[in-house]
Amino acid sequence: MNETELLADRFEEHRGHLKAAAYRMLGSLAEAEDAVQEAWLKLSRSDAADIENLGGWLTTVVGRVCLDMLRSRTRRHEQPLDDAFVPDPVIRPLSHIDPEQEVLQADSVGLALLVVLEALEPAERIAFVLHDMFAVPFDEIAPIVDRTSAATRQLASRARRRVRGATPSAEPDLGRQRQVLDAFIAASRAGDFEALLAVLDPDVVLRADSGPLVGGAAASKVVRGAKSVAGQAMLFAHLAQYTRLVLVNGTIGAVNLPEGKPQSVMGVTIADGRITEMYILADPERLGRLDLTGLDV
């Protein structure tokens, strides 16, 4: 085995950790993969013999790449500036979680938290994710965000307050989550408006992201209130027969598979026996890039 192959093997030991960090910093699986690949390219061009802590070095590189990506989004005024934006979901069958994907789902980083992270400034998001989720010291984060350690600590603290204030409470038990979502799907299939209202929180919020290719911006929407959300569910009741329960970012969710092709993915937040948040991704381009391994589609 030559030096390049040895270096590649060492890099692969860190790939899962790097992708998990990049996913949380970016909310996009494709961009996270790009950031990790960029880290490999930088490593392959460097003198690895001079790197004392390879994991730390790679995390720093990925952090800088992700910060540049986030800043580029802001300059171009791209999504996720739209309130209807839904981050890329991590989908797995209920019966099995692929060991290689467990690190992506560690700590139940759900869509609700990722939506909140989208509202943070780029440097805040980097500081919060690296420190609070991956225990990277502020001294190591500071050069990434071009701040002093004290200023970086303040960035993370400000982000932490915003996250705590905006992240909804959630039912942690998968069994109870499933009971509620089963009831919602059954009510949708039956076209039972009252039964839908019974499992929706009065202040439920639905975010539906159809992307730019399906009817433009008008197809994406934010719907608030149980009656309005139930009305939306009634409009698509004919699709409920194609719904399959899955894990979405470690919690209960569903994928619609008419003719075996994913038409939408839904994640939910459930609290006190009712659905409080719904996140639907129906962007064909992004759906086509999702890993549906194990779903037999």
Side-chain angles (χ1 to χ4, degrees), residues 2-205:
N2 59 38
E3 291 185 6
T4 300
E5 292 172 331
L6 287 172
L7 187 61
D9 283 347
R10 292 181 63 197
F11 176 80
E12 288 301 320
E13 294 174 2
H14 298 278
R15 180 182 288 276
H17 166 84
L18 296 173
K19 186 173 180 181
Y23 173 57
R24 286 153 177 77
M25 287 186 275
L26 297 168
S28 165
L29 292 167
E31 288 184 351
E33 197 66 61
D34 289 343
V36 172
Q37 185 61 23
E38 181 65 23
W40 162 248
L41 292 175
K42 289 182 181 295
L43 177 63
S44 65
R45 297 167 186 156
S46 304
D47 187 351
D50 293 335
I51 301 174
E52 294 183 5
N53 179 355
L54 182 60
W57 187 91
L58 288 169
T59 299
T60 296
V61 170
V62 167
R64 286 174 175 157
V65 172
C66 290
L67 181 60
D68 287 343
M69 287 181 171
L70 290 173
R71 286 173 171 167
S72 178
R73 281 185 194 170
T74 302
R75 286 193 296 269
R76 295 195 302 268
H77 301 290
E78 288 185 346
Q79 296 266 17
L81 297 178
D82 188 337
D83 286 343
F85 177 81
V86 175
D88 287 350
V90 178
I91 304 169
R92 290 294 172 266
L94 281 176
S95 59
H96 174 67
I97 299 178
D98 186 342
E100 293 182 2
Q101 296 295 327
E102 285 181 354
V103 69
L104 275 179
Q105 302 194 61
D107 302 321
S108 298
V109 180
L111 292 179
L113 176 55
L114 289 173
V115 166
V116 175
L117 293 180
E118 296 291 344
L120 300 178
E121 295 296 323
E124 288 179 342
R125 184 168 185 171
I126 298 299
F128 175 78
V129 168
L130 290 181
H131 182 266
D132 284 43
M133 296 184 176
F134 293 93
V136 178
F138 288 120
D139 287 348
E140 296 179 19
I141 303 172
I144 299 175
V145 296
D146 195 24
R147 303 285 209 287
T148 64
S149 291
T152 303
R153 184 184 298 272
Q154 288 301 313
L155 283 175
S157 178
R158 187 160 62 242
R160 194 177 304 119
R161 288 195 298 271
R162 294 180 66 184
V163 167
R164 287 175 178 171
T167 306
S169 60
E171 167 61 59
D173 184 84
L174 275 176
R176 287 193 284 270
Q177 291 175 23
R178 180 167 186 166
Q179 289 175 0
V180 174
L181 191 53
D182 275 336
F184 175 83
I185 292 171
S188 296
R189 286 173 176 161
D192 189 334
F193 189 80
E194 294 302 319
L196 285 169
L197 290 180
V199 294
L200 292 172
D201 185 86
D203 298 317
V204 62
V205 178

Side-chain angles (χ1 to χ4, degrees), residues 269-288:
T269 301
I270 294 169
D272 298 325
R274 293 189 172 188
I275 298 172
T276 61
E277 306 269 344
M278 302 178 71
Y279 311 91
I280 297 177
L281 178 64
D283 181 341
E285 182 177 351
R286 291 170 62 200
L287 286 172

